[in-house]
Amino acid sequence: MLYTSTRNNQIRVTASRAIAQGISEEGGLFVPCEVPSFSLEKIASMVAMPYTERAKTVLRAYLTDFTEEELTACVEGAYGHQKFTSEKIAPTVNVEGNENILELWHGPTCAFKDMALQLLPHLMTVSARKNADGKTIVILVATSGDTGKAALEGFKDVDKTKILVFYPVDGVSPMQKLQMTTQEGENVAVCAIKGNFDDAQSAVKAIFTDAAIKERLAEKNMLFSSANSINWGRLVPQIVYYFSAYCDLLEQGSITLGDPINVVVPTGNFGNILACYYAKRMGLPVKTMVCASNANNILTDFLTTGDYDKNRAFYTTTSPSMDILISSNLERLLYHCGGEDSAMIDELMQSLSQDGRYTVSEKLLSAIQKDFAAGCCSEEDVFATIRQQFKDDRYLIDTHTAVAVKTYFDYVKRTGDDLPTVIDATASPYKFSKSVLSALGEDVTALSEFDMVDALSRATDTEPPAPLKALQDKAVRHREVCDRESMSEMVFRLLNI
């Protein structure tokens, strides 16, 4: 299995090279030259497997330059040793009728990013050993909330790595901020930026491709890589849980082998839903992938019209991990659906960089719409959905998951397409206690962040995740703040070079 770049399809690299490098030299994203195929029989064979074996079955098809011993060590290191609070790692829960929730928040940071970021440091270590010639890998991360903490936790004190995380100073929840600023580890650093996530992400991409910066790192025997979903090593683990969810539905008797399902994903950067696209391409019986957006509904508009235009108002919402106007992973989908035309992708991305927008052809839009539908959700509807879901089913969801649930019901009402559906639950409701409590009608005016955690527990008779409760006694260790324009200088400062 070899990988090429969305902006130069003449490139060929191994999986470990793609993971160690993170992003192609010209700024393109690595994609597989071929998508492997799984038969229904192979999917059936995965039903009786634990999550670790399901993961190895999928990853084995993509990471072909990893030995079986290396792959086993990576997977067991990520998902073993009781790092996840559910034995199933990512259980699929039937809420009512055809509504099934894929709980992706049972990891150490209580968000779906753990599914990939517990595995990526292991993949990165093996990849560096194969490709980095003893260099220290500097993981550079822009986060809208959950990625930052999950990456910090995953890479904490991993040998021959350093991790630098940048987050928008006013663009994450108090709990997300506390998770990052209290992070321990000798190789970690965290900095807020004055701006939004798109500012941080654009600056990180610019730093990645700056020859002078890379040369300065090389002088110190360092090289950049990424833990954002632009890194293939972040994306490929996410393919696993769609196969796992389908196997869960088979095991539960909700479907029979070969039955199609729909999948609804709340997404801003398009990585989580793109992983489902790869699963479908591999043979997983998925009919429609529904892309759910909050008030920052640029993906809804694009998937409806083919016009991607970030020249619009930016909203800070109660689902901050989706407050994004530049959806990096959409580039991969455009490449695959656009006939693997890297010159076209390069032109579209230049237009986005220069003008803040691009428009795809009717042919390309039609190809995308065969697989994807889209919808969005207002702040009022987020709160109403949390309240209604708990009232009707005693099932508690966070704000991001509420976006997906509301979009799911809207999609069924609009289309009549009521297939068994998997809805991604991307975070514990306790990461957003203030919003969830408010949605349930509780007064949060005089409550501290941890008072709200306790109040939510009492109001719903549910138990807060232990990693969040433990934050109450941790000291803040990271207080740096910078402008977007000075991020490169901050990188050097945090690395002490």
Side-chain angles (χ1 to χ4, degrees), residues 136-141 155 157-165 186-189 222-225 494-497:
T136 295
I137 294 182
V138 178
I139 308 296
L140 195 57
V141 179
F155 280 94
D157 293 327
V158 171
D159 189 40
K160 303 294 287 185
T161 68
K162 293 182 180 292
I163 178 165
L164 315 181
V165 170
E186 294 303 312
N187 64 334
V188 308
M222 297 178 178
L223 73 128
F224 280 132
S225 192
L494 295 175
L495 291 174
N496 296 313
I497 63 174

Side-chain angles (χ1 to χ4, degrees), residues 378-415:
S378 69
E379 288 289 87
E380 293 78 13
D381 284 341
V382 166
F383 277 40
T385 301
I386 292 170
R387 185 165 56 251
Q388 198 67 41
Q389 187 85 87
F390 189 72
K391 178 184 176 183
D392 292 347
D393 305 302
R394 304 300 292 177
Y395 189 84
L396 193 63
I397 55 177
D398 86 298
T399 48
H400 303 76
T401 308
V403 170
V405 170
K406 177 63 165 68
T407 301
Y408 161 67
F409 284 120
D410 286 349
Y411 171 78
V412 173
K413 185 177 180 180
R414 183 173 73 248
T415 66

Side-chain angles (χ1 to χ4, degrees), residues 49 58 127 157 221 268 342 471:
M49 296 178 181
V58 174
S127 297
D157 293 327
N221 206 32
S342 57
L471 285 174

